[in-house]
Amino acid sequence: MKASVVLSLALFAAVPTLVHAHGDFKCNEPAAEWKKRDELVSKLEKEGWQIRKIKVDNGCYEVYGFDKQGNKKESYFNPKTLELIGNVVQ
């Protein structure tokens, strides 16, 4: 009985780390309402980011780079609002 409880707790604890896989972030904004990538680059650079690459994935902007603390980032942004949706790498 103890082993099953420990296993259940271990699986439950692992769930938050599994939630932020690549396919979990989706944006459904009409393309005509998207802001340009340059606006996102400008916004992030003002926040101290170093951008390595931006691409579109699941209708979101996916950004690869480093934040102002030098932490490696792979983050998803809403293309209409440029708000952070979530991070794959934090």
Side-chain angles (χ1 to χ4, degrees):
M1 182 74 169
K2 272 187 170 181
S4 65
V5 172
V6 171
L7 180 59
S8 294
L9 289 173
L11 289 173
F12 181 75
V15 169
T17 60
L18 299 174
V19 170
H20 296 297
H22 287 271
D24 291 340
F25 301 111
K26 294 188 182 0
C27 301
N28 295 313
E29 305 294 350
E33 297 178 14
W34 285 26
K35 292 186 178 175
K36 296 182 185 224
R37 290 178 192 210
D38 292 343
E39 291 180 59
L40 180 57
V41 168
S42 178
K43 172 189 181 296
L44 294 176
E45 285 178 344
K46 286 178 186 174
E47 294 174 7
W49 282 53
Q50 294 180 9
I51 307 302
R52 297 291 179 241
K53 179 180 177 181
I54 296 179
K55 67 178 192 172
V56 175
D57 186 33
N58 288 329
C60 304
Y61 284 134
E62 182 179 13
V63 177
Y64 296 85
F66 299 88
D67 66 13
K68 68 180 179 181
Q69 290 84 22
N71 300 313
K72 186 176 182 180
K73 293 287 189 176
E74 180 180 344
S75 303
Y76 284 76
F77 292 84
N78 180 303
K80 180 179 176 181
T81 65
L82 303 182
E83 291 179 25
L84 176 68
I85 294 177
N87 296 297
V88 176
V89 176
Q90 297 190 22

